[in-house]
Amino acid sequence: MLLKARTEPMELIALRHLNRRMELSSQDKFQLWKMEKGFAGEMIFDRMTENITEERYIIDDLLLQVNNSYFQLDKVIIAQDGVYLIDIKYHEGDYYLDGDQLYSVRTNREYKNPVIQLTRSETLFRQLLQNLKMNHLVRASVIFNNPEFTLYQAPMDQPIILPTQVNRFLKELNSTPSKLDDSHKKLAQTLLSLHQVKNPFATLPAYQYDQLEKGMYCRECGSLNTEIDHHDLVCGKCGTHERIEKAIVRHIEEIKVLFPEKKITTQLVYEWCNRKVSRRTFLRVLKKNYKAVGKTKDAYFE
């Protein structure tokens, strides 16, 4: 039973928005690419676990805090035989382990060793169980699920599941009988209640409102080369049509992500969308989709 589904990280959403409206550094572009790749790999593994039978609780993308230390778990599966902590990696290409370090064969770029990260998360999770006075067996694994991934010198004594082993891992998990009781339900509910919504690890490049390019972007290709044709926003690059109301709502949500401290006003949205349509249209969309606060010219929307 899926109790918490995965959602796109706010850091990823914000980086996408910034990438459309400013020139990101090579480091920030790499971070965006890495996050896109990682999220895609997590979603692929989520689909692979949709058909797990028997009684199990599944919680995706948990951020927890223990003794002032934060740790993130890509997937938690609560079963009769234990709590499975799964870290998902979607690396592509040839890699090798040298001591505690993970390297790309092609670029020789050094990556964080996911086993070390997992060991830390497993230790903190055990501490959490002790604090909660809950007794459950913990089983932690790093899953590399990209079929184009190869790991040389992979030690056999580490909790690594390679692409050729993923299906077997899921089959073995699925074939293990699992009957849950109140203790498992209590653990699941507790973990959900302890989930931290705001990620302290999220880092974004410095940006200001005035430096970002204004305009309405295409929902498909992200191009700012768009025009209004009757009641549609039309992309000059790929030709995508979108009803103007839906497009305006998208851009309001974009403002809320990038500038959560700003009050959403008709003038702000009008400027952000580069005056593509009249203020009256923006006001109509705001009144229809958001709650107005105040009734004067200083009114804003939530």
Side-chain angles (χ1 to χ4, degrees):
M1 179 188 302
L2 181 62
L3 300 183
K4 178 183 176 297
R6 192 178 311 281
T7 57
E8 290 184 321
M10 291 304 295
E11 181 183 2
L12 173 57
I13 295 172
L15 275 174
R16 286 175 184 159
H17 292 326
L18 292 175
N19 191 44
R20 281 187 289 265
R21 299 185 181 273
M22 65 181 284
E23 183 63 33
L24 294 180
S25 68
S26 58
Q27 182 178 351
D28 290 326
K29 287 181 178 179
F30 178 73
Q31 175 68 7
L32 174 59
W33 174 83
K34 188 169 65 173
M35 292 192 70
E36 294 279 17
K37 195 90 170 177
F39 184 73
E42 290 165 358
M43 293 297 291
I44 289 172
F45 189 73
D46 290 345
R47 289 193 290 271
M48 296 177 73
T49 58
E50 285 177 353
N51 297 323
I52 289 180
T53 59
E54 298 289 336
E55 295 181 9
R56 292 179 179 87
Y57 294 131
I58 301 177
I59 304 173
D60 290 336
D61 196 21
L62 262 183
L63 178 62
L64 301 172
Q65 182 183 19
V66 178
N67 301 331
N68 296 320
S69 295
Y70 287 88
F71 64 105
Q72 198 158 6
L73 300 169
D74 290 340
K75 186 179 288 288
V76 177
I77 301 177
I78 300 173
Q80 179 181 341
D81 64 331
V83 181
Y84 293 78
L85 310 182
I86 298 175
D87 189 20
I88 304 163
K89 297 300 178 186
Y90 201 62
H91 296 325
E92 181 177 347
D94 297 332
Y95 290 75
Y96 67 95
L97 281 169
D98 185 5
D100 289 337
Q101 305 304 321
L102 178 69
Y103 296 92
S104 166
V105 172
R106 184 176 65 85
T107 65
N108 209 37
R109 180 190 290 270
E110 181 180 332
Y111 292 82
K112 291 180 180 179
N113 187 333
V115 174
I116 294 177
Q117 292 177 283
L118 178 70
T119 301
R120 175 181 178 275
S121 296
E122 182 181 4
T123 299
L124 289 172
F125 189 80
R126 292 182 191 278
Q127 289 179 16
L128 176 62
L129 292 181
Q130 291 174 0
N131 294 344
L132 296 171
K133 294 181 171 52
M134 293 182 175
N135 185 24
H136 293 275
L137 184 65
V138 179
R139 305 173 184 273
S141 301
V142 176
I143 291 184
F144 293 95
N145 64 325
N146 191 326
E148 300 298 322
F149 172 83
T150 299
L151 180 62
Y152 295 101
Q153 302 170 204
M156 297 179 63
D157 61 345
Q158 293 192 13
I160 295 173
I161 298 176
L162 299 172
T164 55
Q165 301 171 315
V166 174
N167 285 334
R168 192 186 326 148
F169 168 79
L170 291 175
K171 285 180 180 178
E172 291 177 357
L173 177 64
N174 215 10
S175 63
T176 304
S178 181
K179 296 294 181 183
L180 302 181
D181 57 29
D182 288 342
S183 68
H184 300 102
K185 183 178 181 180
K186 182 180 179 182
L187 173 61
Q189 291 174 337
T190 302
L191 292 178
L192 290 173
S193 70
L194 293 175
H195 173 63
Q196 306 290 307
V197 177
K198 187 174 182 180
N199 189 345
F201 303 131
T203 55
L204 294 173
Y207 63 93
Q208 295 179 349
Y209 179 84
D210 293 338
Q211 78 181 95
L212 300 184
E213 185 175 356
K214 308 304 186 290
M216 300 183 75
Y217 68 90
C218 172
R219 69 178 180 189
E220 293 297 328
C221 70
S223 172
L224 285 165
N225 178 20
T226 57
E227 295 295 338
I228 303 299
D229 184 8
H230 298 292
H231 300 292
D232 283 1
L233 180 71
V234 182
C235 180
K237 183 177 180 181
C238 70
T240 295
H241 284 241
E242 182 184 16
R243 299 300 285 179
I244 190 62
E245 180 177 331
K246 289 185 177 180
I248 291 174
V249 170
R250 278 197 301 106
H251 288 79
I252 293 170
E253 293 303 310
E254 180 188 25
I255 297 171
K256 291 168 69 176
V257 169
L258 293 178
F259 302 99
E261 75 286 354
K262 284 187 178 292
K263 292 182 178 180
I264 303 298
T265 64
T266 306
Q267 182 63 25
L268 176 64
V269 180
Y270 180 67
E271 292 175 352
W272 184 253
C273 295
N274 204 23
R275 303 168 176 84
K276 285 285 187 181
V277 294
S278 67
R279 285 186 178 87
R280 182 180 297 177
T281 300
F282 287 119
L283 180 59
R284 175 179 58 81
V285 173
L286 282 164
K287 284 183 175 180
K288 181 179 177 180
N289 294 276
Y290 299 88
K291 178 184 176 182
V293 179
K295 295 183 178 180
T296 66
K297 63 179 182 179
D298 296 325
Y300 61 95
F301 294 83
E302 294 180 337

